[in-house]
Amino acid sequence: MLPPLKVHELIRMIRTAKTQAQEREIIQKECADIRAAFREEDGLYRHRNVAKLLYMHMLGYPAHFGQMECLKLIASPKFTDKRIGYLGAMLLLDERQDAHLLITNSIKTDLNSSVQQIQGLALCTLGCMGSSEMCRDLASEVERLLQTSNSYIKKKAVLCAVHIIQKVPDLTEMFLPACKQLLTERNHGVLHGAVVLMMEICLCSPSVLPELRKLVPQLVQKLKNIVMSGYSPEHSVSGVSDPFLQVQILRLLRILGQNDEASSDVMNDTLAQVATNTDTNRNAGNAILYETVLTIMDIKSASGLRVLAVNILGRFLLNNDKNIRYVALTSLLKLVQTDHTAVQRHRSTIVDCLKDPDASVNRRALELSFALVNASNVRGMMKELQQFLDRCVPEIKADCTSGIFLAAEKYSPSKRWHIDTIMEVLTKAGSYVRDDAVANLIHLISSASELHAYTVQKLYSALVMDISQQPLVQVATWCIGEYGDQLLAGNCEEIQPIQVSEDDVLDILEKVLHSHMSLPATRAYALTAIMKLSTRLRENVDRVRRVVSIFGSCSDLELQQRAVEYNALFKKFDHMRMAVLEKMPLLDKVLPGPNEEEEEERSPVMESASTEEKPSGQNDTAQPSQVTDLLDLLGALDDPSPAPVPQPVTEVLPTGPALLDLLGASSKPAAAIPPLTVYNKNGLQISFTFQKPGTNPSLLNITASVTNSTAADVTDFVFQAAVPKTLQLQLQAPSGNVVQALNSSAVTQLIQILNPQKVPLKMRLRLTYSHFGGAVQEVCEVSSFPPVTWQ
Amino acid sequence: MIRFMLLFSRQGKLRLQRWYISLSDKEKKKITREVTQSILARNQKASSFVEWKDLKLVYKRYASLYFCCAIEDQDNELLTLEVVHRFVELLDRYFGNVCELDIIFNFEKAYFLLDEFLMGGEIQDTSKLSVVKSIEESDMLQETMEEYMNKPTF
């Protein structure tokens, strides 16, 4: 019988395979040979066969038939066998396999072996893959080994104890007495393990914290000794003494010093010493400084020490190494709420980080910048942020625009500046702004009545230059419709007035109407604007009539409806036209929803006053979304409704804590209803958040948020929903149809439910999307809505 | 603690995997695929840290191999870079100018070395000399004659 293939030879053979099929062939043949050898109980070459099996396992092939062989190897007296056997156990066996318990006895025997390397193997295996049953069985053995004077065994036993406590927290008490004794060790490996053990104990059973706090002086002394000790060839890394141990001690001190004045006092001096004396030229020193800063910020430290910590972070920001800059920004973000003034001092450095070539550094810097904007620095910051908006990657643009808008809302020094800022953003990054930007801007403009002339003039000029940025076009057409008379009068005080003729105005509006770049919603805005102008213009009313009647036969349902209604306004209700189209009063800033005011004004003109449809008509201001009433609720739940046309993909990235703060200041009514996760499958998760605006008691607004935790994007995502007959549902346009991978962004969509009869809410969802190259269609029912949503 | 450590080539081939948490084979494969894809997609200028699910991935490329550790939120990223570097130094000392091929053909030795350096996701010994000494002593215990040679082969 030939001896089996050597491991090297097998690896060489596999690597010569040119195709996957060839590789599989080689492996299948070898597995067959190995299986035969296992059956024949070949003890001599067992270790070789198992080693080959482990290699094939790493390539992704099944190797479960080797599990029992690993057990046999572990039981063998030969060290070579044991080594491979334990390795196999760690790679192939884990607590999910029933077989794993069988090695408990072998481990127990080996823990008592006279050969320290064998004890080491057993400890290592137990410390890596030991299940809670194994740990319970063997804990006392490990505890006994902690008493040994052999540091090789001791350091392994300590880490094994850490694992045991993680698996069986009840056993924490067992290892507590050992801690004090372990701290007196000189061996750095054992010390390091001891510190880790103490941290684990603190985590598992916080009640022992007072007990362990007594050791703080000892720990501080150890830290001091390491810092003061000179160069040691064994432990120095780039000239820094044992950074690994220093960092762990610092971390333990952080846990012990939290919320404890006494302990924090003891640490103060040494922390200051470490902070000032550590060499910052290499990564090792910076790792220690970083940990020191985290510790200072978390314990009850003196204020001088805190300033020192923030300054260290400030210096980190200027470091050439991008990793260090990244780490500094992350820490500053955590600090910005508690130590705002200290962080403000570094504002200019943070803003400079916006120019950093690394995208994650940029993102962090952006979040921090928004957190630092206040009334005194808003002008300068805005300039920087707008420059950043020009050059940042598309993924960050949405966050950036939202942040700018929020900051402008909170801190703008004047209305004109506010309007200018928003217009600037819309011109530069119009396709990335969120849906409500248009509504908010319109609201802002209408409230600044003294600036109407200025605004409409600026918007007109911007529109003439470029009609591709939809949000800007929508706002501009709305304004021209509303304030067209002021535009034509040319009476602007703020800037040089431009001369615009009625023809010019109608030209540009018609251009928008006919352009293929315009979305249907934009066209609707334009049509309405033209209509409004019929009362504001002196001549050219006929031209308006003509345009309106042409669109009476337009294929787009929304436009056709509007055109027909406006036609009717001309023909049958001409006496009402002036009244209907007069200037709008200032609207309340309310969530998009059927507005009673709007409905009243609509009713004489509308031919079909069904409340299913989106409130259209000239009073429509805040609805940049599509008419998706095609999801007919009264029909069968499986109605194949056409997908809503997506708007330009506006990414709604999760914003940092700073932005959430500003968001809280806006006038959205608080939602006290808990959110609900309605779908969670294959990495795709949809959750609903609910809001009941006060205006209509039977109205429920649901914001559906879709996230994707897999590594590949979900594309062409379409979300459809239907409700029982007695309810009415309206789906607004989604923020996009690509759900980015790894939860980096969420697609949101607003669903509005009218439930006048207060029946229990149920919903059927249909999802279609492409993922990992294949099309997916899912249907699911949701009936677990909290009662408060429909009562 | 380090939750898992993966070594993979620039083509995404796995060279070493050490898991310090219990997961099914299927989950391990899925995670490996996701992590390798997400790291291989990053460009040169990006930092060494990636936020991934609730963990932080710390990775560094040495020649043709990527060394990637997944650490918990509380762990120090900069220190983890030092841990990775120390492991590379140990491999270098043990194999003598280590290259990817050494790790491919002697994967089990790389594992033995790793298990002398880390246990349960934490460092066992902060002294380079001590770790090298331990592994050399263990090698001496191997019964097969070939094991006494410098780059032992099975």
Side-chain angles (χ1 to χ4, degrees):
Chain A
M1 165 86 199
L2 283 169
L5 214 52
K6 284 196 184 156
V7 181
H8 272 213
E9 285 162 15
L10 175 66
I11 297 178
R12 201 168 288 130
M13 237 166 58
I14 293 176
R15 283 169 65 81
T16 59
K18 296 206 174 51
T19 65
Q20 185 78 346
Q22 264 184 342
E23 181 183 285
R24 223 174 304 138
E25 217 182 287
I26 298 173
I27 289 186
Q28 267 168 6
K29 180 175 179 308
E30 188 58 33
C31 278
D33 287 343
I34 292 178
R35 259 193 253 246
F38 285 166
R39 267 198 302 274
E40 283 163 34
E41 297 284 330
D42 172 10
L44 185 58
Y45 292 109
R46 189 177 282 134
H47 69 263
R48 192 186 278 187
N49 287 326
V50 170
K52 285 185 287 187
L53 201 56
L54 292 179
Y55 181 77
M56 295 188 283
H57 176 251
M58 184 150 65
L59 292 179
Y61 296 91
H64 45 270
F65 55 90
Q67 285 168 11
M68 293 309 286
E69 301 301 311
C70 292
L71 264 62
K72 292 179 195 158
L73 282 174
I74 292 172
S76 153
K78 299 206 301 209
F79 185 70
T80 318
D81 284 352
K82 280 193 197 285
R83 239 184 166 186
I84 289 287
Y86 275 121
L87 179 63
M90 283 192 271
L91 291 176
L92 299 180
L93 285 175
D94 67 22
E95 51 193 49
R96 288 142 208 267
Q97 329 282 355
D98 293 326
H100 85 276
L101 286 168
L102 297 171
I103 60 173
T104 315
N105 262 331
S106 297
I107 293 186
K108 191 166 189 174
T109 323
D110 285 340
L111 283 176
N112 292 311
S113 163
S114 52
V115 181
Q116 71 171 21
Q117 279 80 4
I118 294 181
Q119 286 177 297
L121 284 177
L123 281 168
C124 186
T125 308
L126 182 59
C128 280
M129 53 74 73
S131 65
S132 33
E133 294 99 337
M134 287 168 70
C135 290
R136 233 182 259 277
D137 282 341
L138 299 165
S140 48
E141 298 289 333
V142 174
E143 204 262 326
R144 190 178 50 78
L145 287 173
L146 274 179
Q147 320 291 341
T148 177
S149 54
N150 179 339
S151 52
Y152 176 84
I153 297 293
K154 211 162 183 169
K155 71 186 183 191
K156 292 181 192 273
V158 174
L159 288 179
C160 197
V162 173
H163 179 84
I164 291 177
I165 294 180
Q166 281 170 353
K167 287 289 182 185
V168 191
D170 301 336
L171 295 172
T172 311
E173 309 293 317
M174 190 187 237
F175 295 103
L176 186 54
C179 290
K180 301 193 185 88
Q181 192 269 316
L182 285 168
L183 270 189
T184 60
E185 283 283 329
R186 302 190 67 112
N187 180 299
H188 280 220
V190 179
L191 257 180
H192 184 277
V195 172
V196 174
L197 178 62
M198 285 173 65
M199 284 199 282
E200 195 61 42
I201 292 178
C202 291
L203 237 97
C204 284
S205 101
S207 54
V208 305
L209 273 171
E211 181 81 29
L212 288 173
R213 284 204 182 107
K214 296 184 194 150
L215 299 169
V216 168
Q218 234 180 316
L219 285 164
V220 168
Q221 187 59 43
K222 281 277 174 198
L223 183 58
K224 218 187 234 165
N225 289 342
I226 302 171
V227 174
M228 304 293 275
S229 72
Y231 171 76
S232 140
E234 260 202 281
H235 298 294
S236 294
V237 178
S238 334
V240 180
S241 322
D242 208 337
F244 306 106
L245 186 51
Q246 284 197 48
V247 167
Q248 296 294 11
I249 296 181
L250 284 164
R251 214 171 126 181
L252 178 56
L253 287 175
R254 177 154 87 244
I255 296 175
L256 295 175
Q258 249 170 1
N259 298 321
D260 191 71
E261 290 267 1
S263 310
S264 306
D265 276 337
V266 178
M267 298 175 205
N268 261 320
D269 285 340
T270 311
L271 287 175
Q273 193 180 1
V274 175
T276 40
N277 287 345
T278 308
D279 177 28
T280 57
N281 285 328
R282 307 292 286 273
N283 186 56
N286 286 323
I288 296 174
L289 278 176
Y290 176 40
E291 199 70 36
T292 314
V293 166
L294 292 177
T295 301
I296 292 176
M297 301 319 291
D298 254 2
I299 63 173
K300 302 237 174 233
S301 48
S303 62
L305 207 51
R306 292 180 86 88
V307 171
L308 181 60
V310 176
N311 287 344
I312 291 178
L313 290 177
R315 273 207 309 277
F316 272 4
L317 283 179
L318 299 166
N319 197 304
N320 284 333
D321 187 342
K322 53 182 136 45
N323 292 331
I324 294 183
R325 288 201 299 272
Y326 179 86
V327 145
L329 287 170
T330 316
S331 314
L332 282 170
L333 199 56
K334 288 188 207 149
L335 294 181
V336 75
Q337 306 300 333
T338 48
D339 294 78
H340 193 93
T341 3
V343 181
Q344 273 283 4
R345 268 184 235 128
H346 299 277
R347 198 186 69 241
S348 46
T349 330
I350 293 171
V351 168
D352 277 339
C353 284
L354 287 173
K355 306 193 181 95
D356 201 293
D358 181 78
S360 11
V361 171
N362 283 349
R363 194 170 293 181
R364 289 263 177 275
L366 188 67
E367 284 176 48
L368 254 182
S369 303
F370 284 131
L372 292 176
V373 175
N374 61 27
S376 51
N377 60 32
V378 67
R379 280 190 200 257
M381 288 291 275
M382 272 310 167
K383 222 186 267 176
E384 294 281 350
L385 288 165
Q386 281 174 333
Q387 281 172 3
F388 175 66
L389 186 60
D390 273 340
R391 50 166 202 268
C392 72
V393 295
E395 292 85 39
I396 312 184
K397 280 199 194 216
D399 262 347
C400 196
T401 54
S402 312
I404 290 180
F405 286 160
L406 287 164
E409 207 172 294
K410 231 180 165 186
Y411 299 113
S412 50
S414 72
K415 284 227 159 125
R416 182 177 150 177
W417 182 91
H418 195 174
I419 291 176
D420 280 341
T421 306
I422 299 190
M423 278 193 51
E424 180 87 20
V425 172
L426 284 180
T427 358
K428 283 203 190 128
S431 34
Y432 297 97
V433 300
R434 285 182 29 204
D435 297 345
D436 56 358
V438 173
N440 289 338
L441 181 55
I442 288 179
H443 181 259
L444 174 66
I445 290 174
S446 43
S447 66
S449 44
E450 67 282 8
L451 290 169
H452 284 167
Y454 166 76
T455 314
V456 70
Q457 193 168 298
K458 274 204 95 166
L459 282 167
Y460 174 79
S461 315
L463 195 60
V464 164
M465 290 222 285
D466 172 21
I467 58 167
S468 63
Q469 303 262 38
Q470 296 302 296
L472 184 64
V473 172
Q474 288 172 1
V475 177
T477 48
W478 186 88
C479 281
I480 292 176
E482 242 345 81
Y483 310 124
D485 48 341
Q486 299 198 16
L487 177 63
L488 294 164
N491 286 340
C492 184
E493 284 166 0
E494 308 263 345
I495 52 175
Q496 185 72 11
I498 53 174
Q499 298 308 320
V500 179
S501 74
E502 296 188 358
D503 280 319
D504 291 332
V505 174
L506 287 172
D507 280 342
I508 192 74
L509 285 175
E510 277 195 64
K511 189 172 167 197
V512 170
L513 208 46
H514 289 114
S515 163
H516 59 90
M517 285 191 283
S518 300
L519 293 176
T522 314
R523 287 212 181 91
Y525 270 86
L527 188 62
T528 309
I530 289 182
M531 187 61 193
K532 284 189 210 170
L533 285 176
S534 72
T535 55
R536 304 198 197 346
L537 299 177
R538 278 184 282 269
E539 304 123 37
N540 283 316
V541 179
D542 282 335
R543 187 170 167 186
V544 174
R545 276 186 92 143
R546 247 179 303 140
V547 172
V548 162
S549 57
I550 288 173
F551 273 85
S553 44
C554 170
S555 54
D556 183 292
L557 192 65
E558 167 70 8
L559 284 180
Q560 191 190 94
Q561 182 169 334
R562 288 188 187 214
V564 165
E565 286 159 13
Y566 297 157
N567 249 333
L569 198 54
F570 269 121
K571 293 201 181 108
K572 293 191 246 174
F573 301 100
D574 205 38
H575 51 283
M576 289 176 69
R577 188 159 54 89
M578 285 298 282
V580 168
L581 296 173
E582 74 178 13
K583 282 237 178 70
M584 289 173 50
L586 182 61
L587 301 159
D588 288 327
K589 202 172 188 182
V590 121
L591 289 174
N595 195 325
E596 283 146 82
E597 191 182 86
E598 294 168 52
E599 283 187 31
E600 263 179 89
E601 302 216 23
R602 261 171 56 213
S603 28
V605 186
M606 283 296 183
E607 288 176 42
S608 51
S610 158
T611 49
E612 279 174 29
E613 277 141 10
K614 181 163 90 74
S616 44
Q618 62 271 39
N619 288 324
D620 176 37
T621 60
Q623 323 284 347
S625 43
Q626 305 296 306
V627 172
T628 50
D629 55 344
L630 304 163
L631 274 171
D632 191 7
L633 350 140
L634 301 178
L637 288 180
D638 264 336
D639 234 350
S641 335
V645 176
Q647 288 208 304
V649 176
T650 56
E651 318 243 55
V652 183
L653 291 168
T655 55
L659 291 175
L660 281 173
D661 276 342
L662 297 176
L663 206 57
S666 79
S667 56
K668 296 207 170 158
I673 311 170
L676 182 68
T677 301
V678 299
Y679 178 86
N680 191 347
K681 202 171 155 194
N682 297 330
L684 201 64
Q685 180 175 312
I686 303 182
S687 62
F688 283 176
T689 44
F690 305 98
Q691 262 152 340
K692 279 200 148 189
T695 49
N696 186 344
S698 46
L699 170 70
L700 173 70
N701 286 325
I702 304 179
T703 305
S705 178
V706 188
T707 48
N708 167 18
S709 62
T710 65
D713 288 358
V714 160
T715 53
D716 306 317
F717 179 84
V718 173
F719 174 91
Q720 294 166 317
V723 290
K725 287 197 182 133
T726 45
L727 295 122
Q728 290 174 351
L729 174 143
Q730 189 164 304
L731 209 52
Q732 309 285 7
S735 62
N737 61 358
V738 173
V739 190
Q740 288 208 321
L742 303 172
N743 291 328
S744 56
S745 76
V747 166
T748 55
Q749 194 160 10
L750 182 65
I751 309 168
Q752 292 172 293
I753 311 264
L754 259 182
N755 186 358
Q757 294 177 28
K758 306 225 180 286
V759 298
L761 180 58
K762 279 195 279 211
M763 204 182 276
R764 188 175 289 185
L765 309 178
R766 191 213 269 181
L767 318 167
T768 52
Y769 56 91
S770 302
H771 198 204
F772 292 122
V776 182
Q777 195 182 64
E778 294 275 344
V779 176
C780 73
E781 293 242 19
V782 187
S783 43
S784 53
F785 288 99
V788 66
T789 53
W790 45 267
Q791 273 164 358
Chain B
M1 63 179 264
I2 297 175
R3 292 265 183 105
F4 57 84
M5 182 190 259
L6 302 172
L7 264 69
F8 50 91
S9 71
R10 287 210 278 170
Q11 288 77 37
K13 287 208 136 140
L14 199 59
R15 298 301 179 205
L16 219 74
Q17 52 173 332
R18 190 32 111 217
W19 300 83
Y20 294 111
I21 40 168
S22 168
L23 289 169
S24 69
D25 245 2
K26 197 167 147 205
E27 284 170 307
K28 284 184 193 166
K29 283 205 176 122
K30 181 164 172 245
I31 291 177
T32 306
R33 202 175 43 236
E34 282 175 22
V35 168
T36 38
Q37 269 172 11
S38 107
I39 288 182
L40 289 172
R42 285 167 77 79
N43 71 15
Q44 292 275 37
K45 294 218 179 78
S47 64
S48 296
F49 311 130
V50 184
E51 267 157 46
W52 185 78
K53 300 204 176 160
D54 60 331
L55 299 173
K56 300 190 272 202
L57 297 175
V58 177
Y59 74 94
K60 194 149 181 206
R61 199 184 116 204
Y62 288 86
S64 56
L65 266 183
Y66 281 90
F67 286 69
C68 171
C69 289
I71 55 173
E72 294 171 333
D73 196 50
Q74 302 298 321
D75 292 325
N76 185 326
E77 298 98 312
L78 298 177
L79 192 73
T80 311
L81 280 175
E82 291 297 324
V83 171
V84 168
H85 191 73
R86 173 59 67 88
F87 182 45
V88 173
E89 284 180 323
L90 288 168
L91 286 168
D92 198 53
R93 179 80 77 95
Y94 183 66
F95 285 108
N97 262 335
V98 68
C99 62
E100 192 185 342
L101 276 180
D102 288 323
I103 301 183
I104 295 173
F105 280 94
N106 299 285
F107 70 97
E108 76 284 359
K109 312 249 167 334
Y111 273 117
F112 296 152
L113 183 56
L114 181 60
D115 288 336
E116 284 296 329
F117 176 50
L118 296 176
M119 192 208 284
E122 302 281 355
I123 295 184
Q124 281 180 49
D125 206 323
T126 58
S127 157
K128 220 190 309 190
L129 301 166
S130 171
V131 176
V132 173
K133 185 159 156 266
S134 307
I135 191 96
E136 281 172 355
E137 281 175 2
S138 298
D139 280 350
M140 294 300 234
L141 283 180
Q142 300 246 174
E143 284 87 354
T144 333
M145 269 312 288
E146 299 153 274
E147 263 54 59
Y148 286 84
M149 288 168 4
N150 203 0
K151 277 201 194 173
T153 59
F154 265 102

